[in-house]
């Protein structure tokens, strides 16, 4: 299996267009050593050269496809290596890139849960709008953890698990979370038996979820914030990381504590990194702490073979 990191930043990207936090201003000026990042999305193939699955459709998708030749195999006048799209939630940073795929000749095969389908046909009716272009061939993701496949994505088997996180502000159930607003995905290669657990938005780790993570060769999880009060401290929000469905890396019960308890051989990655997160600064003590613990912050263009 091969994972290509198309985008590794949280909503807004890095640097964010209107932001002058230390990271955003510093990377623009060249005074902070950090890599620019687009909004979070990954592409997974059974092997290099095969068609694969796009997890999330970021508003930056056209730039991401241009930078990743593996997504454009060039076999016909109109072509793509995207066999289908799977959504982890219905947020702007993960779903509005669907508009950019409207030139597709046939309806877009799209997997999402019922609550995400509701959000994307009511509060933010992206799927209805696409009905005026290529159309969407929507497939339902159930929450029972049953394995499913995306036809055309050879060797891959997927299982979804509901996560505690947050629906988008336009969701009819924004303040009344329901299972399926956010999911994590166990992506397995049926030949090798290897697997990756992917959860770009993750607010809480339950014992059952941790067991699942322990069984994966690669764990790629929510890297949005370093501290719970990161946005409050900068005067950018009144809400904590946990309030908006993101488990911070540091502190008691934080992501680093959980990742430390995984089996030694597990490869650990953070994705969906907010522009305010000090781990983006390659010279920061927080980045050094991740390195000490064997945790890798994803970068755009990175590929992981497993
Ligand atoms: C989130 O992950 O919390 C949202 O995507 C934030 C946003 O994009 O506005
Ligand atoms: Mn997001
Ligand atoms: Zn910023």
């Amino acid at each position: 299996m091969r994972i290509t990191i198309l985008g590794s930043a949280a909503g807004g990207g890095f640097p964010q267009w209107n932001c002058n936090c230390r990271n955003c201003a510093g990377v623009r000026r060249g005074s902070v050593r950090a890599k620019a990042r687009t909004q979070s999305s990954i592409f997974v193939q059974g092997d290099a050269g095969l068609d694969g699955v796009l997890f999330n459709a970021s508003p930056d998708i056209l730039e991401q496809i241009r930078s990743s030749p593996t997504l454009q195999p060039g076999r016909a006048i109109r072509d793509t290596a995207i066999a289908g799209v799977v959504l982890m939630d219905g947020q702007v940073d993960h779903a509005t890139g669907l508009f950019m795929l409207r030139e597709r000749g046939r309806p877009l095969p799209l997997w999402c849960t019922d609550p995400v389908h509701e959000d994307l046909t009511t509060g933010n009716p992206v799927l209805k709008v696409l009905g005026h272009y290529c159309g969407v061939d929507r497939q339902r993701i159930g929450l029972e953890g049953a394995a499913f496949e995306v036809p055309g994505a050879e060797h891959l088997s997927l299982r979804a698990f509901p996560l505690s996180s947050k629906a988008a502000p336009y969701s009819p159930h924004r303040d009344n979370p329901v299972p399926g607003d956010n999911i994590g995905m166990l992506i397995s290669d049926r030949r090798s038996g290897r697997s990756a657990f992917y959860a770009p938005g993750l607010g809480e780790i339950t014992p059952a979820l941790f067991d699942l993570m322990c069984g994966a060769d690669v764990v790629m999880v929510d890297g949005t914030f370093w501290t719970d009060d990161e946005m409050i401290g900068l005067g950018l929000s009144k809400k904590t990381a946990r309030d908006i469905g993101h488990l911070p890396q540091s502190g008691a019960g934080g992501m680093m504590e959980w990742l430390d308890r995984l089996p030694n051989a597990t490869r650990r990655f953070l994705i969906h990194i907010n522009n305010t997160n000090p781990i983006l600064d390659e010279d920061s003590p927080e980045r050094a702490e991740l390195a000490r613990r064997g945790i890798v912050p994803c970068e755009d263009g990175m590929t992981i073979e497993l």
Side-chain angles (χ1 to χ4, degrees):
M1 181 189 338
R2 180 191 220 225
I3 303 175
T4 303
I5 309 299
L6 299 179
S8 51
F14 175 58
Q16 180 174 304
W17 67 281
N18 64 343
C19 190
N20 287 297
C21 73
R22 182 182 178 278
N23 282 342
C24 289
V27 76
R28 265 186 222 110
R29 237 190 264 126
S31 59
V32 166
R33 199 162 64 91
K35 295 195 176 63
R37 285 165 163 86
T38 61
Q39 294 165 88
S40 97
S41 172
I42 65 172
F43 183 64
V44 183
Q45 294 156 289
D47 253 324
L50 296 177
D51 285 358
V53 181
L54 180 73
F55 290 90
N56 297 320
S58 140
D60 303 316
I61 190 168
L62 297 183
E63 182 188 338
Q64 295 170 343
I65 292 174
R66 276 182 211 117
S67 329
S68 303
T70 191
L71 274 93
Q72 182 44 268
R75 299 162 295 201
I77 179 84
R78 291 280 165 91
D79 196 17
T80 177
I82 302 171
V85 182
V86 174
L87 298 181
M88 313 304 290
D89 60 50
Q91 300 258 10
V92 167
D93 56 344
H94 287 162
T96 56
L98 291 172
F99 282 136
M100 301 305 130
L101 303 178
R102 67 192 178 285
E103 292 91 355
R104 218 186 132 88
R106 281 167 293 123
L108 177 71
L110 177 81
W111 279 255
C112 64
T113 63
D114 284 341
V116 168
H117 185 253
E118 187 189 0
D119 294 356
L120 297 182
T121 48
T122 60
N124 183 10
V126 175
L127 305 187
K128 286 194 166 167
V129 174
L130 277 177
H132 297 276
Y133 299 88
C134 59
V136 173
D137 176 15
R138 189 255 168 163
Q139 308 288 324
R140 178 175 180 274
I141 298 181
L143 301 175
E144 314 76 31
F148 66 99
E149 286 169 23
V150 171
E154 271 178 77
H155 311 306
L156 298 180
S157 171
L158 311 180
R159 292 171 67 198
F161 299 90
L163 301 177
S164 154
S165 192
K166 216 50 207 244
Y170 42 79
S171 168
H173 40 268
R174 164 76 166 181
D175 298 313
N176 174 29
V178 298
D181 282 336
N182 288 77
I183 54 173
M185 191 68 62
L186 190 67
I187 310 163
S188 309
D189 182 326
R190 278 183 276 102
R191 290 166 312 170
S192 65
R194 296 197 166 268
S195 63
F197 178 73
Y198 172 61
L202 178 53
E204 188 191 335
I205 299 183
T206 61
L209 183 62
F210 187 67
D211 277 353
L212 195 77
M213 289 165 66
C214 285
D217 299 283
V218 164
V219 164
M220 187 179 289
V221 286
D222 191 326
T224 313
F225 299 113
W226 178 258
T227 45
D228 201 31
D229 62 356
E230 192 163 312
M231 297 292 274
I232 299 173
L234 291 168
L236 296 176
S237 171
K238 292 190 164 57
K239 292 187 171 157
T240 65
R242 284 180 173 87
D243 284 341
I244 58 168
H246 299 293
L247 185 67
Q249 281 107 61
S250 66
M255 191 65 85
M256 285 190 297
E257 276 190 3
W258 285 102
L259 296 181
D260 279 349
R261 292 170 47 204
L262 289 170
N264 284 340
T266 311
R267 296 166 71 189
R268 302 143 160 89
F269 297 89
L270 295 175
I271 193 161
H272 190 276
I273 306 169
N274 198 56
N275 58 77
T276 52
N277 192 326
I279 65 173
L280 290 171
D281 177 350
E282 294 168 23
D283 300 316
S284 67
E286 292 85 356
R287 179 65 165 259
E289 183 166 355
L290 287 188
R292 264 197 310 279
R293 296 169 187 254
I295 302 170
V296 179
C298 285
E299 289 176 11
D300 293 15
M302 182 187 259
T303 57
I304 299 162
E305 307 273 353
L306 71 157

